[in-house]
Amino acid sequence: MDLGIAGKTALVTGASKGIGKAIVEALAAEGVRVIASARGQEGLDKLAQSVQGVEVIASDLTEVLERQALIDAVTKKYGKVDILVHNVGGPSPTEAGSTSLAQWQEGFERLFQSVAQLNLSFVPGMCERGFGRVICVTSLSVIEPIAALAVSNAMRSAVTSMLKTLSDEVAASGVTVNCVAPGLIATDRLKDLMQARIAKSGQTEQEYQKEYLKSVPLGRLGTPAEFASVVAFLASAQASYLTGSTICVDGGKRRSTY
């Protein structure tokens, strides 16, 4: 299927590995001019070597000045962004009762303010041109809070509500705003979370994974490429009547019916 987005310009954050890298690959395969951003220059350089035509800009989205530098660099060189993909790694695991104020603040900057600041810079231009796609990678925690991920649970839920509000405000301008919630996708982030939980459980890695996957009807981890294909569709011309939604890519793990 031709997704109708060849020649569009996309900015993808958290793009050097895992889900973000897969999204870059999926969009580039559709002829999208992709600007990829992440904290580490080394990972970005490897991405630029492996995916033809991708431009890379290093930026730490937890820092307001670095976010602004990214915005300025993209605006100066490309002038616009048609497809904005927010993908930011989650904070370290903590429990709500023991999370420090500094950890709450860091999570707010990382997960909420980064989305808000990039939206303020790029969404108005989308509205003026009559086309735009804002897509945010969130988590199943926005539907079913995940144990020991207090900051992520709270901040990603706040982002989801903010983006739902934005979707109403820009819909008449031809701009769609959606979230995609990954379930158990085989990434470094998931591996780190699993290792932290294995250390607490006293189980072997094999024992823990067997029990862990019982909650997934498909019986396996998802791949970044499977997740990225959903993001690519949301960016497409064909997805023009889909906005204000959270799409769960989770192998059936979510137990709610909505």
Side-chain angles (χ1 to χ4, degrees), residues 35-50:
I35 308 154
S37 181
R39 286 182 295 179
Q41 187 66 53
E42 183 179 353
L44 289 173
D45 290 342
K46 290 180 180 178
L47 177 66
Q49 292 170 4
S50 65

Side-chain angles (χ1 to χ4, degrees), residues 112-144:
F112 190 96
Q113 288 286 66
S114 64
V115 173
Q117 189 171 351
L118 267 60
N119 283 350
L120 282 170
S121 297
F122 296 120
V123 172
M126 295 178 184
C127 294
E128 290 174 6
R129 295 186 298 273
F131 177 90
R133 300 287 185 263
V134 179
I135 304 163
C136 186
V137 178
T138 59
S139 167
L140 283 185
S141 67
V142 304
I143 296 171
E144 300 172 353

